[in-house]
Amino acid sequence: MTTRLVIANWKMNGDLALIDAMAQAYPQSSKVDVVVVPPSLYVAALLAAAKNRFQVGLQDIGQHQGGAHTGELAATMAAELGVAAVIVGHSERRSDNAEDDAVVAVKAHRALEAGLMPVICVGESIEERQAGQAEARVRAQVEAQAENLVGGRAVAIAYEPIWAIGTGASASAEEAVAMHRAIRHALEQIAPDHADGIRILYGGSVNAENAAGLFAHVEIEGVLVGGASLDTDQFAAIIRAAEAAQG
Ligand code: PEP
């Protein structure tokens, strides 16, 4: 069975006190993979606190390999520090920073060439879902990443319906499973030799109450957790739910 992947996305939240609290609270997990993604400024402190009990990621990465790009971070720098993964194409970056699929593909490529796992976010708006275009939209977003999917390196796809992010209105397990199957089908067509190794995560108002119901489905190979990951008890409970589903 695929090892489930549980990712905490702190977004622009957290401080040194939260790092201490979280480092104490996270259970050591040998059954599932856990990646905690703080604001970039806190990566070094979180790496020190993690003591290899969980991995640390970035919320974004620069498009360039280095040079005169004030304020940007290179994937190679993150790799040098011990960062394991990078979230790319989160809907908040797509909307706040006008990042399109081409930009997301470049960022995923930079992550891969530095040896980091890109966690590529895809997802439809409420308007697209209501218009019956959700699968087509998500499929197009996945296809735009084709070059990053065919190499056989560690990649994850996070299905995050925009209407479920930060709203408290999670997709139902059935809605998530249906989209995960559509994404799996797309991956099998795009990268037939490597699709099996690409984990598909769900994100959107995952919490301690709904995690077990999501993990009950084999199609949900992990979760990307925003708000609930800031609560030590909730995030530990989500990890335990993933472990229980792992068997
Ligand atoms: C996210 O940050 O990607 C996310 C899914 O947030 P939340 O869990 O708060 O909906």
Side-chain angles (χ1 to χ4, degrees), residues 65-203:
Q65 286 174 307
H69 303 287
T70 301
E72 294 291 329
L73 301 174
T76 48
M77 298 169 185
E80 187 180 27
L81 274 180
V83 166
V86 181
I87 298 171
V88 293
H90 191 284
S91 65
E92 288 154 13
R93 290 210 59 86
R94 289 181 190 254
S95 62
D96 292 356
N97 301 78
E99 293 187 3
D100 60 15
D101 286 332
V103 168
V104 175
V106 171
K107 291 186 171 193
H109 176 74
R110 291 288 172 237
L112 286 168
E113 70 182 2
L116 307 176
M117 176 178 70
V119 179
I120 303 170
C121 300
V122 298
E124 80 285 359
S125 67
I126 190 63
E127 292 80 14
E128 288 163 338
R129 175 156 288 263
Q130 287 169 347
Q133 296 166 354
E135 280 196 20
R137 175 77 186 113
V138 168
R139 185 183 175 92
Q141 289 176 319
V142 173
E143 285 172 348
Q145 301 304 320
E147 281 182 27
N148 294 314
L149 302 173
V150 295
R153 299 205 193 147
V155 180
I157 302 283
Y159 168 54
E160 297 210 304
I162 297 167
W163 46 271
I165 297 176
T167 60
S170 172
S172 67
E174 291 68 31
E175 287 169 325
V177 165
M179 189 62 84
H180 281 221
R181 285 184 181 155
I183 295 170
R184 176 66 59 208
H185 184 63
L187 292 175
E188 282 163 359
Q189 290 182 321
I190 294 165
D193 295 337
H194 303 296
D196 281 356
I198 300 174
R199 285 180 284 193
I200 305 173
L201 321 181
Y202 168 75

Side-chain angles (χ1 to χ4, degrees), residues 21 28 35 44 90 92 140 147 151 171 177 189 212 217-218 220 224 238 245:
Q28 175 93 46
V35 182
H90 191 284
E92 288 154 13
E147 281 182 27
V177 165
Q189 290 182 321
H217 302 270
V218 291
I220 312 285
L224 178 49
I238 292 167

